[in-house]
Amino acid sequence: MALTIGQVANAADVNIQTIRYYERRGLFPTPRRTPAGYRQYADEAVARLRFIKHAQELGFSLQEVQELLALRVRHGAACDVVERKTRQKIEVVQQRIRDLQRMKRTLERLAAACTARRPTDDCPILEVLEDHDHISH
Amino acid sequence: MALTIGQVANAADVNIQTIRYYERRGLFPTPRRTPAGYRQYADEAVARLRFIKHAQELGFSLQEVQELLALRVRHGAACDVVERKTRQKIEVVQQRIRDLQRMKRTLERLAAACTARRPTDDCPILEVLEDHDHISH
DNA sequence: ATAGACCTTGTACCAGGGTATATGGTCAAG
DNA sequence: CTTGACCATATACCCTGGTACAAGGTCTAT
Protein backbone atom coordinates (compact mmCIF):
# COMPACT_ATOMS: atom_id res chain seq x y z
CA MET A 1 0.00 0.00 0.00
CA ALA A 2 2.91 2.38 0.69
CA LEU A 3 4.59 3.81 -2.37
CA THR A 4 8.19 4.86 -2.78
CA ILE A 5 9.02 8.27 -4.15
CA GLY A 6 9.97 6.70 -7.45
CA GLN A 7 6.63 4.95 -7.80
CA VAL A 8 4.76 8.13 -7.02
CA ALA A 9 6.88 10.12 -9.47
CA ASN A 10 6.28 7.54 -12.10
CA ALA A 11 2.55 7.35 -11.57
CA ALA A 12 2.15 11.10 -11.71
CA ASP A 13 4.70 11.50 -14.45
CA VAL A 14 6.89 13.99 -12.67
CA ASN A 15 10.56 14.03 -11.79
CA ILE A 16 11.55 12.56 -8.41
CA GLN A 17 13.42 15.77 -7.68
CA THR A 18 10.25 17.70 -8.18
CA ILE A 19 8.52 15.84 -5.37
CA ARG A 20 11.37 16.54 -3.00
CA TYR A 21 11.32 20.14 -4.17
CA TYR A 22 7.61 20.39 -3.36
CA GLU A 23 8.28 18.88 0.03
CA ARG A 24 10.88 21.57 0.71
CA ARG A 25 8.45 24.21 -0.51
CA GLY A 26 5.77 22.93 1.83
CA LEU A 27 3.38 21.78 -0.88
CA PHE A 28 3.87 18.24 0.17
CA PRO A 29 3.61 16.96 3.73
CA THR A 30 6.75 15.35 5.06
CA PRO A 31 6.00 11.66 4.61
CA ARG A 32 6.59 8.77 6.96
CA ARG A 33 9.91 7.05 6.50
CA THR A 34 11.02 3.44 6.55
CA PRO A 35 13.70 2.56 9.10
CA ALA A 36 16.19 3.06 6.26
CA GLY A 37 14.92 6.58 5.70
CA TYR A 38 12.94 5.93 2.51
CA ARG A 39 9.90 8.14 2.04
CA GLN A 40 6.57 6.32 2.12
CA TYR A 41 3.54 7.69 0.32
CA ALA A 42 -0.12 6.78 0.11
CA ASP A 43 -1.98 6.81 -3.21
CA GLU A 44 -3.26 10.24 -2.32
CA ALA A 45 0.16 11.64 -3.10
CA VAL A 46 -0.32 10.88 -6.78
CA ALA A 47 -3.62 12.73 -6.84
CA ARG A 48 -1.97 15.63 -5.09
CA LEU A 49 0.76 15.82 -7.70
CA ARG A 50 -1.72 15.68 -10.51
CA PHE A 51 -3.72 18.41 -8.86
CA ILE A 52 -0.65 20.59 -8.54
CA LYS A 53 0.33 20.09 -12.14
CA HIS A 54 -3.17 20.77 -13.30
CA ALA A 55 -3.53 23.93 -11.27
CA GLN A 56 -0.21 25.13 -12.63
CA GLU A 57 -1.39 24.64 -16.17
CA LEU A 58 -4.29 26.86 -15.29
CA GLY A 59 -1.87 29.56 -14.35
CA PHE A 60 -1.67 29.24 -10.58
CA SER A 61 1.73 29.75 -9.01
CA LEU A 62 3.02 27.19 -6.52
CA GLN A 63 2.18 29.68 -3.80
CA GLU A 64 -1.42 29.81 -4.97
CA VAL A 65 -1.58 26.06 -5.35
CA GLN A 66 -0.39 25.76 -1.79
CA GLU A 67 -3.24 27.98 -0.68
CA LEU A 68 -5.72 25.95 -2.65
CA LEU A 69 -4.44 22.78 -1.06
CA ALA A 70 -4.76 24.32 2.35
CA LEU A 71 -8.51 24.65 1.91
CA ARG A 72 -10.16 21.91 3.89
CA VAL A 73 -13.48 21.63 5.57
CA ARG A 74 -12.99 20.79 9.21
CA HIS A 75 -15.00 21.13 12.35
CA GLY A 76 -16.45 24.45 13.34
CA ALA A 77 -13.75 26.86 14.40
CA ALA A 78 -11.79 27.59 11.23
CA CYS A 79 -14.79 26.95 9.04
CA ASP A 80 -15.73 30.52 8.21
CA VAL A 81 -12.12 31.40 7.55
CA VAL A 82 -11.92 28.58 5.06
CA GLU A 83 -15.14 29.66 3.45
CA ARG A 84 -13.94 33.20 3.07
CA LYS A 85 -10.68 32.10 1.51
CA THR A 86 -12.49 29.74 -0.78
CA ARG A 87 -14.79 32.48 -2.00
CA GLN A 88 -11.77 34.67 -2.65
CA LYS A 89 -10.28 31.93 -4.77
CA ILE A 90 -13.54 31.60 -6.63
CA GLU A 91 -13.35 35.29 -7.45
CA VAL A 92 -9.83 34.90 -8.79
CA VAL A 93 -10.86 31.96 -10.92
CA GLN A 94 -13.92 33.81 -12.16
CA GLN A 95 -11.87 36.81 -13.19
CA ARG A 96 -9.46 34.57 -15.00
CA ILE A 97 -12.32 32.94 -16.86
CA ARG A 98 -13.66 36.34 -17.88
CA ASP A 99 -10.26 37.43 -19.19
CA LEU A 100 -9.87 34.26 -21.17
CA GLN A 101 -13.34 34.66 -22.64
CA ARG A 102 -12.46 38.14 -23.73
CA MET A 103 -9.27 36.87 -25.27
CA LYS A 104 -11.22 34.13 -27.02
CA ARG A 105 -13.70 36.57 -28.51
CA THR A 106 -10.83 38.68 -29.76
CA LEU A 107 -9.19 35.71 -31.39
CA GLU A 108 -12.51 34.74 -32.95
CA ARG A 109 -12.91 38.16 -34.43
CA LEU A 110 -9.42 37.87 -35.86
CA ALA A 111 -10.18 34.49 -37.35
CA ALA A 112 -13.40 35.83 -38.80
CA ALA A 113 -11.67 38.81 -40.35
CA CYS A 114 -9.23 36.38 -41.81
CA THR A 115 -11.93 34.22 -43.30
CA ALA A 116 -13.62 37.22 -44.82
CA ARG A 117 -10.23 38.02 -46.27
CA ARG A 118 -10.76 41.69 -46.58
CA PRO A 119 -7.77 42.82 -48.52
CA THR A 120 -7.19 45.34 -45.76
CA ASP A 121 -3.61 44.63 -46.49
CA ASP A 122 -2.32 46.10 -43.28
CA CYS A 123 -4.56 44.70 -40.54
CA PRO A 124 -2.39 43.63 -37.59
CA ILE A 125 -3.74 41.83 -34.59
CA LEU A 126 -2.96 44.93 -32.66
CA GLU A 127 -5.85 46.79 -34.23
CA VAL A 128 -8.23 43.96 -33.59
CA LEU A 129 -7.02 43.70 -30.05
CA GLU A 130 -7.36 47.34 -29.28
CA ASP A 131 -10.05 46.79 -26.67
CA HIS A 132 -7.61 44.86 -24.55
CA ASP A 133 -6.40 48.25 -23.51
CA HIS A 134 -9.28 48.95 -21.22
CA ILE A 135 -9.57 45.65 -19.47
CA SER A 136 -10.43 45.88 -15.81
CA HIS A 137 -8.18 44.20 -13.29
CA MET B 1 3.96 61.94 -32.65
CA ALA B 2 7.10 59.86 -32.03
CA LEU B 3 7.53 58.57 -28.49
CA THR B 4 10.74 57.86 -26.63
CA ILE B 5 11.24 54.53 -24.92
CA GLY B 6 10.62 56.17 -21.58
CA GLN B 7 7.30 57.60 -22.67
CA VAL B 8 6.20 54.25 -24.02
CA ALA B 9 7.32 52.47 -20.86
CA ASN B 10 5.48 54.98 -18.77
CA ALA B 11 2.27 54.81 -20.77
CA ALA B 12 2.19 51.03 -20.67
CA ASP B 13 3.45 50.86 -17.10
CA VAL B 14 6.41 48.60 -17.76
CA ASN B 15 10.10 48.89 -17.09
CA ILE B 16 12.21 50.45 -19.81
CA GLN B 17 14.51 47.46 -19.62
CA THR B 18 11.59 45.24 -20.38
CA ILE B 19 10.99 46.96 -23.70
CA ARG B 20 14.61 46.54 -24.69
CA TYR B 21 14.42 42.95 -23.53
CA TYR B 22 11.38 42.35 -25.74
CA GLU B 23 13.21 43.92 -28.63
CA ARG B 24 16.10 41.51 -28.13
CA ARG B 25 13.63 38.64 -27.87
CA GLY B 26 12.03 39.66 -31.13
CA LEU B 27 8.67 40.57 -29.64
CA PHE B 28 9.22 44.15 -30.55
CA PRO B 29 10.30 45.38 -33.97
CA THR B 30 13.56 47.31 -33.98
CA PRO B 31 12.35 50.90 -34.03
CA ARG B 32 13.59 53.82 -36.04
CA ARG B 33 16.29 55.84 -34.34
CA THR B 34 17.00 59.53 -34.08
CA PRO B 35 20.40 60.65 -35.34
CA ALA B 36 21.55 60.39 -31.74
CA GLY B 37 20.47 56.77 -31.59
CA TYR B 38 17.31 57.25 -29.50
CA ARG B 39 14.55 54.75 -30.22
CA GLN B 40 11.40 56.26 -31.71
CA TYR B 41 8.04 54.62 -31.24
CA ALA B 42 4.54 55.18 -32.57
CA ASP B 43 1.50 54.96 -30.28
CA GLU B 44 1.02 51.45 -31.52
CA ALA B 45 3.93 50.36 -29.35
CA VAL B 46 1.94 51.08 -26.20
CA ALA B 47 -0.95 48.92 -27.39
CA ARG B 48 1.51 46.20 -28.23
CA LEU B 49 2.99 46.25 -24.75
CA ARG B 50 -0.42 46.15 -23.14
CA PHE B 51 -1.37 43.25 -25.32
CA ILE B 52 1.76 41.36 -24.31
CA LYS B 53 1.16 41.97 -20.64
CA HIS B 54 -2.43 40.95 -20.88
CA ALA B 55 -1.71 37.78 -22.80
CA GLN B 56 0.89 36.90 -20.22
CA GLU B 57 -1.58 37.29 -17.42
CA LEU B 58 -3.74 34.85 -19.29
CA GLY B 59 -0.96 32.33 -19.14
CA PHE B 60 0.71 32.68 -22.52
CA SER B 61 4.50 32.49 -22.59
CA LEU B 62 6.48 35.14 -24.44
CA GLN B 63 7.05 32.55 -27.13
CA GLU B 64 3.30 32.13 -27.52
CA VAL B 65 2.70 35.85 -27.38
CA GLN B 66 5.20 36.20 -30.14
CA GLU B 67 3.23 33.71 -32.19
CA LEU B 68 0.01 35.55 -31.46
CA LEU B 69 1.58 38.81 -32.56
CA ALA B 70 2.85 37.18 -35.69
CA LEU B 71 -0.71 36.40 -36.67
CA ARG B 72 -1.37 39.23 -39.01
CA VAL B 73 -3.64 39.40 -41.93
CA ARG B 74 -1.29 40.02 -44.77
CA HIS B 75 -1.99 39.94 -48.43
CA GLY B 76 -3.88 36.75 -49.12
CA ALA B 77 -1.18 34.12 -49.29
CA ALA B 78 -0.47 33.48 -45.60
CA CYS B 79 -4.05 34.15 -44.62
CA ASP B 80 -5.19 30.57 -44.11
CA VAL B 81 -2.06 29.79 -42.11
CA VAL B 82 -2.89 32.69 -39.85
CA GLU B 83 -6.44 31.51 -39.51
CA ARG B 84 -5.39 27.98 -38.64
CA LYS B 85 -3.00 29.18 -35.94
CA THR B 86 -5.62 31.48 -34.55
CA ARG B 87 -8.15 28.67 -34.30
CA GLN B 88 -5.57 26.53 -32.55
CA LYS B 89 -5.08 29.26 -29.99
CA ILE B 90 -8.83 29.50 -29.57
CA GLU B 91 -8.92 25.79 -28.79
CA VAL B 92 -6.25 26.19 -26.14
CA VAL B 93 -8.05 29.11 -24.58
CA GLN B 94 -11.37 27.26 -24.72
CA GLN B 95 -9.90 24.25 -22.94
CA ARG B 96 -8.39 26.46 -20.30
CA ILE B 97 -11.75 28.10 -19.72
CA ARG B 98 -13.43 24.72 -19.32
CA ASP B 99 -10.82 23.61 -16.81
CA LEU B 100 -11.17 26.78 -14.82
CA GLN B 101 -14.93 26.38 -14.78
CA ARG B 102 -14.49 22.91 -13.41
CA MET B 103 -12.18 24.22 -10.73
CA LYS B 104 -14.67 26.94 -9.91
CA ARG B 105 -17.50 24.46 -9.47
CA THR B 106 -15.30 22.41 -7.18
CA LEU B 107 -14.46 25.41 -5.06
CA GLU B 108 -18.14 26.27 -4.91
CA ARG B 109 -18.92 22.81 -3.63
CA LEU B 110 -16.25 23.25 -1.03
CA ALA B 111 -17.66 26.59 0.07
CA ALA B 112 -21.14 25.13 0.16
CA ALA B 113 -20.03 22.25 2.34
CA CYS B 114 -18.52 24.81 4.61
CA THR B 115 -21.67 26.89 4.80
CA ALA B 116 -23.77 23.84 5.50
CA ARG B 117 -21.46 23.16 8.41
CA ARG B 118 -21.15 19.71 7.06
CA PRO B 119 -17.74 19.31 8.58
CA THR B 120 -16.69 16.46 6.31
CA ASP B 121 -14.01 16.27 8.89
CA ASP B 122 -10.96 15.14 7.08
CA CYS B 123 -11.89 16.26 3.61
CA PRO B 124 -8.93 17.73 1.82
CA ILE B 125 -9.54 19.58 -1.37
CA LEU B 126 -8.04 16.63 -3.21
CA GLU B 127 -11.05 14.48 -2.50
CA VAL B 128 -13.36 17.20 -3.58
CA LEU B 129 -11.35 17.64 -6.69
CA GLU B 130 -11.34 14.02 -7.68
CA ASP B 131 -12.62 14.67 -11.17
CA HIS B 132 -9.53 16.67 -11.96
CA ASP B 133 -7.77 13.40 -12.42
CA HIS B 134 -9.37 12.54 -15.69
CA ILE B 135 -9.19 15.82 -17.47
CA SER B 136 -8.36 15.60 -21.12
CA HIS B 137 -5.44 17.53 -22.50
C1' DA C 1 28.67 -11.14 -1.51
C1' DT C 2 28.21 -8.48 -5.44
C1' DA C 3 25.54 -6.12 -9.27
C1' DG C 4 21.87 -3.20 -10.39
C1' DA C 5 18.18 -0.58 -9.34
C1' DC C 6 16.55 2.03 -6.10
C1' DC C 7 16.84 5.51 -2.13
C1' DT C 8 19.27 9.47 0.74
C1' DT C 9 21.28 14.41 1.17
C1' DG C 10 23.66 18.27 -0.70
C1' DT C 11 24.97 21.34 -4.12
C1' DA C 12 24.94 23.21 -8.57
C1' DC C 13 23.00 24.28 -12.64
C1' DC C 14 19.21 25.60 -16.12
C1' DA C 15 15.37 28.41 -18.61
C1' DG C 16 12.03 31.97 -18.48
C1' DG C 17 11.14 36.60 -17.62
C1' DG C 18 12.71 40.19 -16.21
C1' DT C 19 15.44 44.14 -13.23
C1' DA C 20 19.68 46.68 -11.73
C1' DT C 21 23.94 48.87 -12.37
C1' DA C 22 27.91 50.86 -14.54
C1' DT C 23 29.61 53.86 -17.96
C1' DG C 24 28.87 57.13 -21.11
C1' DG C 25 26.25 60.14 -24.77
C1' DT C 26 22.17 63.78 -25.58
C1' DC C 27 19.21 67.53 -24.96
C1' DA C 28 16.39 71.44 -22.90
C1' DA C 29 16.31 74.91 -19.44
C1' DG C 30 18.47 78.34 -16.94
C1' DC D 1 27.84 76.02 -20.86
C1' DT D 2 26.52 73.36 -17.22
C1' DT D 3 23.08 70.56 -14.74
C1' DG D 4 19.38 67.19 -14.62
C1' DA D 5 16.60 64.25 -16.87
C1' DC D 6 16.68 61.48 -20.35
C1' DC D 7 18.88 57.97 -23.76
C1' DA D 8 22.49 54.20 -25.20
C1' DT D 9 25.07 49.61 -24.48
C1' DA D 10 26.90 45.90 -21.74
C1' DT D 11 26.95 43.03 -18.02
C1' DA D 12 25.33 41.14 -13.90
C1' DC D 13 21.96 39.88 -10.93
C1' DC D 14 17.12 38.23 -9.23
C1' DC D 15 13.03 35.01 -8.65
C1' DT D 16 10.38 30.92 -9.99
C1' DG D 17 10.18 26.32 -10.87
C1' DG D 18 12.51 22.97 -11.52
C1' DT D 19 16.53 19.34 -13.07
C1' DA D 20 21.19 17.20 -12.74
C1' DC D 21 25.05 15.42 -10.49
C1' DA D 22 27.95 13.68 -6.83
C1' DA D 23 28.74 10.69 -3.00
C1' DG D 24 26.91 7.41 -0.53
C1' DG D 25 23.31 3.94 1.76
C1' DT D 26 19.63 -0.02 0.79
C1' DC D 27 17.44 -3.89 -1.15
C1' DT D 28 16.65 -7.78 -4.30
C1' DA D 29 18.26 -11.36 -7.12
C1' DT D 30 21.66 -14.35 -8.41
Side-chain angles (χ1 to χ4, degrees):
Chain A
M1 203 66 246
L3 304 171
T4 65
I5 194 169
Q7 289 167 331
V8 173
N10 215 293
D13 195 28
V14 303
N15 195 302
I16 287 182
Q17 313 278 11
T18 302
I19 298 177
R20 295 204 265 250
Y21 173 67
Y22 287 169
E23 191 181 317
R24 282 201 298 289
R25 292 271 317 228
L27 274 107
F28 246 74
T30 59
R32 276 175 305 119
R33 302 286 188 122
T34 66
Y38 285 25
R39 287 170 178 80
Q40 285 187 300
Y41 296 98
D43 291 352
E44 199 205 61
V46 179
R48 197 181 185 91
L49 276 177
R50 290 213 258 253
F51 173 74
I52 294 172
K53 281 182 63 184
H54 187 67
Q56 276 188 300
E57 278 164 23
L58 295 182
F60 292 96
S61 67
L62 287 186
Q63 175 59 48
E64 286 173 315
V65 174
Q66 195 162 351
E67 285 163 26
L68 282 171
L69 285 169
L71 297 175
R72 311 163 176 254
V73 183
R74 273 196 263 252
H75 280 301
C79 204
D80 43 346
V81 179
V82 170
E83 186 178 352
R84 203 158 20 78
K85 284 190 183 173
T86 303
R87 298 214 181 276
Q88 279 169 14
K89 285 294 172 201
I90 290 171
E91 266 321 292
V92 171
V93 171
Q94 183 56 56
Q95 184 56 51
R96 207 165 290 196
I97 289 171
R98 273 195 291 268
D99 285 353
L100 282 168
Q101 276 165 345
R102 194 185 293 250
M103 165 72 76
K104 187 183 156 215
R105 279 196 298 278
T106 304
L107 288 169
E108 274 163 353
R109 249 181 298 144
L110 180 67
C114 210
T115 306
R117 192 158 338 194
R118 306 194 185 290
T120 43
D121 244 327
D122 179 43
C123 154
I125 261 197
L126 283 180
E127 286 174 31
V128 186
L129 291 179
E130 225 150 74
D131 49 5
H132 273 297
D133 291 357
H134 35 261
I135 269 177
S136 63
H137 279 309
Chain B
M1 205 63 250
L3 304 172
T4 65
I5 194 170
Q7 288 167 330
V8 172
N10 215 294
D13 195 28
V14 304
N15 195 301
I16 286 182
Q17 312 280 11
T18 302
I19 298 178
R20 295 203 266 248
Y21 173 67
Y22 287 170
E23 191 181 316
R24 282 201 298 288
R25 291 270 316 227
L27 274 109
F28 246 73
T30 59
R32 276 175 305 120
R33 302 286 188 120
T34 66
Y38 284 25
R39 288 170 178 80
Q40 286 187 299
Y41 297 97
D43 291 352
E44 200 204 59
V46 178
R48 196 180 185 91
L49 275 178
R50 291 214 257 252
F51 173 72
I52 293 171
K53 281 182 60 182
H54 188 66
Q56 277 188 300
E57 279 165 22
L58 297 181
F60 291 94
S61 68
L62 286 187
Q63 175 59 47
E64 286 174 316
V65 175
Q66 197 161 351
E67 284 164 22
L68 283 172
L69 285 169
L71 301 176
R72 289 159 192 266
V73 182
R74 280 195 252 254
H75 356 246
C79 205
D80 43 346
V81 179
V82 171
E83 188 178 349
R84 201 158 22 77
K85 282 194 182 177
T86 304
R87 297 211 183 278
Q88 278 170 15
K89 286 295 175 199
I90 290 172
E91 267 320 293
V92 171
V93 170
Q94 182 55 58
Q95 185 57 51
R96 206 169 289 192
I97 289 171
R98 273 196 289 268
D99 287 353
L100 281 168
Q101 275 163 348
R102 194 189 297 247
M103 172 157 301
K104 187 182 156 215
R105 279 196 298 278
T106 302
L107 287 171
E108 274 162 355
R109 251 182 296 145
L110 185 65
C114 214
T115 308
R117 291 228 176 275
R118 196 161 18 85
T120 44
D121 214 335
D122 184 39
C123 155
I125 202 168
L126 283 184
E127 286 173 32
V128 186
L129 290 177
E130 226 151 74
D131 48 6
H132 272 296
D133 291 355
H134 37 260
I135 269 177
S136 62
H137 281 310

